[in-house]
Amino acid sequence: MSAEQAPTAGRSAPWHQTNWDLRAAGNFVFGGAGTGLVIFSAFAHVSGTAYVMPVLIGLALVGLGLLCVWAEIGRPLRALNVYRHTKTSWMTREAVVAPFLFASGLGAAWTGSEALVWTAAALALGYLTCQAQMIRASKGIPAWRNPFIVPLVMLTGLCEGAGFAMMVAAVSADHGHLKWIETCLLALALARGLAWYAYRSSLQRERAPKKALAAMSKIEVPFAILGNWTPLALLFIALASSSMNIIFWFGTVCAFAVVLSGWLFKVVLITRAAFNQGFALPRTAVRGAGNGGPAAKPGW
Amino acid sequence: MTRYAMAIDLRRCNGCQTCVTACRGANATPTGMQWRQVLDMETGEYPDVRRAFVPVGCMHCADPPCEHVCPTTATKQRADGLVTIDYDICIGCGYCAVACPYQARHIVHRNEFAFGDDRPMESELARMDPERISVATKCTFCKDRIDAGLERGLTPGVDPEATPACVNSCITRAYVFGDRDDPNSEISKLLAETAHFRMHEELDTDPGIYYIWDNAGEDK
């Protein structure tokens, strides 16, 4: 029996963290998609397409994410205490950005001001950065503290934003701009796919609990293959086509696939792959007349 | 400067769990929550199999990730190195719990009693603290004992009244507590003459619990 298989009383091998569940994942799921959509609304404004609806949907998604967090915390009536630690806490910074994001986004939707749209987009990018850094700062969870998680989470949010922008354009019959959004989605999906492999290879290189690696392996097909590379191929076909039917249907299907796979990734990241550090011994103690034993790191 | 730290001699610990019980008694932690735990780890391959008892809890890191991420400043670090939680400020977001690489932080959302919700013991009712429900809690190194002892001119790690309960209770004297920055303290002397490590040192949190595994030697 190897050291890694050795039974241990109590919990020394990494186990699932239970403090953040689906509600916490909801913040990253909806917050990422919402901020991505607000960012795309600014580009939509420049290109002359409808932007009010995307901005409002984006803000609603961000609000839904915050509602999820509020439902998660143990003392919701003290929620405003979250503003007390801007110096080092990314959660505080996210909370600081949120009201300005809502104010500028709603202002942009109300007035049509280009400056406010871009301000909202910049704040949305800041919000998304806070979310990614929040995960990265969780030193107790090896799958989260990996530095590649920051670009991956941000690109996932941007992809979801582009996907939602595509859906809104499709629904609002704003088909003239589908190709433009599809081009953006294609570029972002390519970057997200590369970020995914950089993240996974970094996790394997720098080591992570076996169960966390297994959880990530399980979403290779639904997230990377079906949710990223297949839509990428379909988008190529759509962009090369002159048929509006192909552009419309391929684009819409790809948008759904990219959004749903991104959500799946974040749910798995926050819940299923969130194994903690566990405990390890660099050496085992000398007992009696014997020598010290080798290192033990169960579950890795 | 004072930097309170703990040394645990893994050669001495026999896994009796007295420290766990003492901690629960001293701090009245709810059922199912143990600020101090003793792991029972079996390692190696037959025939060289080993068993190690490893007490764990909050490491009172010098660079505590829990303090950095806490959005409310409920988690603070004192000048003497102790990492504390203000239960009146904490919102129970759990961010500190996922930031801690030592699994030392606990949040319970309801008070449970040892023999069931309908059969609370008098002592449980008397010591139940609603302020510690739905907020993060963890080992404090018995800071109240330390502070009260210091006010009376006592020395933590030397005088039992100013020393953490787990240290006082240890039947094998595996625990030693004191000021790591004082070269004359027992812990400083002990660390100077033994081979030791700290848990997950590669994460650069500068933990305050040292695990002794052998005497000091040139190759250690």
Side-chain angles (χ1 to χ4, degrees):
Chain A
M1 186 184 293
S2 73
E4 284 168 339
Q5 292 170 319
T8 54
R11 291 195 286 189
S12 48
W15 66 92
H16 253 142
Q17 64 82 21
T18 53
N19 289 287
W20 282 10
D21 56 17
L22 270 177
R23 290 167 293 182
N27 183 36
F28 299 104
V29 164
F30 298 121
T35 49
L37 186 53
V38 171
I39 292 166
F40 265 86
S41 304
F43 290 107
H45 187 270
V46 171
S47 64
T49 44
Y51 70 93
V52 173
M53 190 56 73
V55 165
L56 292 177
I57 293 173
L59 293 179
L61 286 169
V62 174
L64 187 59
L66 289 172
L67 199 63
C68 289
V69 175
W70 190 71
E72 169 97 72
I73 63 176
R75 298 280 186 145
L77 296 181
R78 295 181 190 169
L80 290 180
N81 283 354
V82 79
Y83 287 102
R84 295 168 64 112
H85 203 192
T86 43
K87 193 176 174 186
T88 58
S89 176
W90 285 101
M91 190 181 275
T92 300
R93 292 168 185 168
E94 182 200 46
V96 168
V97 171
F100 294 103
L101 170 61
F102 280 101
S104 56
L106 291 172
W110 182 262
T111 63
S113 159
E114 189 171 344
L116 279 177
V117 176
W118 282 106
T119 304
L123 288 166
L125 189 63
Y127 189 93
L128 190 56
T129 307
C130 290
Q131 287 208 327
Q133 292 288 359
M134 202 195 303
I135 297 173
R136 163 91 171 89
S138 302
K139 217 168 191 169
I141 311 294
W144 297 0
R145 66 173 180 242
N146 188 292
F148 285 97
I149 201 66
V150 175
L152 180 55
V153 166
M154 291 189 69
L155 283 164
T156 301
L158 292 173
C159 275
E160 290 159 6
F164 265 104
M166 179 97 77
M167 289 184 231
V168 172
V171 169
S172 60
D174 210 353
H175 297 178
H177 299 278
L178 282 179
K179 271 205 165 185
W180 173 79
I181 302 173
E182 282 176 1
T183 307
C184 292
L185 186 56
L186 187 142
L188 286 168
L190 179 64
R192 185 178 77 162
L194 296 175
W196 164 249
Y197 288 117
Y199 168 70
R200 281 200 63 195
S201 59
S202 175
L203 264 192
Q204 281 162 347
R205 199 171 51 247
E206 292 174 24
R207 302 194 68 203
K210 285 178 178 175
K211 288 181 177 176
L213 293 174
M216 284 299 169
S217 294
K218 277 185 184 169
I219 59 166
E220 174 68 24
V221 171
F223 173 67
I225 306 295
L226 297 177
N228 206 76
W229 300 120
T230 304
L232 199 78
L234 292 177
L235 285 169
F236 262 120
I237 296 169
L239 286 170
S241 169
S242 56
S243 160
M244 190 47 92
N245 269 342
I246 289 179
I247 293 169
F248 176 84
W249 284 110
F250 277 32
T252 307
V253 167
C254 290
F256 268 107
V258 166
V259 169
L260 292 178
S261 64
W263 287 4
L264 171 73
F265 161 68
K266 283 186 268 195
V267 167
V268 168
L269 178 72
I270 300 300
T271 59
R272 306 309 303 160
F275 284 85
N276 61 26
Q277 182 75 23
F279 295 101
L281 298 175
R283 293 296 302 261
T284 42
V286 172
R287 280 189 184 272
N291 294 319
K297 199 170 185 180
W300 286 69
Chain B
M1 287 293 287
T2 299
R3 168 78 164 105
Y4 288 121
M6 191 177 275
I8 300 173
D9 195 334
L10 297 179
R11 300 168 302 177
R12 288 174 172 243
C13 181
N14 62 9
C16 70
Q17 309 274 346
T18 306
C19 53
V20 175
T21 309
C23 173
R24 295 207 56 195
N27 294 293
T29 53
T31 301
M33 181 195 290
Q34 292 175 194
W35 288 351
R36 168 73 56 222
Q37 297 177 53
V38 180
L39 306 176
D40 183 347
M41 298 174 75
E42 276 185 39
T43 61
E45 286 184 52
Y46 177 82
D48 186 15
V49 182
R50 287 161 189 272
R51 191 176 182 191
F53 299 108
V54 187
V56 294
C58 175
M59 302 281 168
H60 292 270
C61 305
D63 188 15
C66 54
E67 190 272 338
H68 298 321
V69 302
C70 175
T72 67
T73 65
T75 296
K76 283 206 167 80
Q77 188 178 33
R78 305 196 327 184
D80 59 11
L82 300 193
V83 177
T84 62
I85 303 172
D86 186 337
Y87 302 135
D88 293 334
I89 296 176
C90 179
I91 59 172
C93 65
Y95 196 10
C96 57
V98 293
C100 173
Y102 304 102
Q103 294 76 243
R105 292 189 162 238
H106 311 270
I107 301 177
V108 292
H109 295 286
R110 54 188 289 270
N111 208 70
E112 292 180 358
F113 302 107
F115 297 105
D117 287 354
D118 55 340
R119 294 173 62 195
M121 292 184 285
E122 272 184 37
S123 59
E124 286 179 314
L125 285 175
R127 303 193 70 193
M128 186 179 71
D129 184 0
E131 283 191 355
R132 294 198 301 189
I133 299 299
S134 293
V135 296
T137 67
K138 67 168 190 71
C139 159
T140 64
F141 268 0
C142 290
K143 69 178 174 63
D144 295 337
R145 293 170 70 91
I146 292 174
D147 292 344
L150 286 171
E151 279 180 17
R152 292 162 54 200
L154 303 175
T155 305
V158 175
D159 299 299
E161 295 89 343
T163 301
C166 54
V167 180
N168 287 337
S169 71
C170 183
I171 61 170
T172 63
R173 290 214 69 217
Y175 284 85
V176 172
F177 183 80
D179 181 3
R180 193 185 68 183
D181 286 354
D182 175 5
N184 295 315
S185 67
E186 186 185 355
I187 189 171
S188 294
K189 290 176 184 171
L190 188 63
L191 291 177
E193 62 192 36
T194 54
H196 51 262
F197 62 83
R198 290 179 293 172
M199 189 79 74
H200 306 322
E201 274 187 287
E202 72 278 9
L203 296 177
D204 295 327
T205 59
D206 195 359
I209 294 184
Y210 293 78
Y211 293 99
I212 296 168
W213 62 276
D214 198 1
N215 291 322
E218 286 180 5
D219 59 333
K220 289 160 187 164

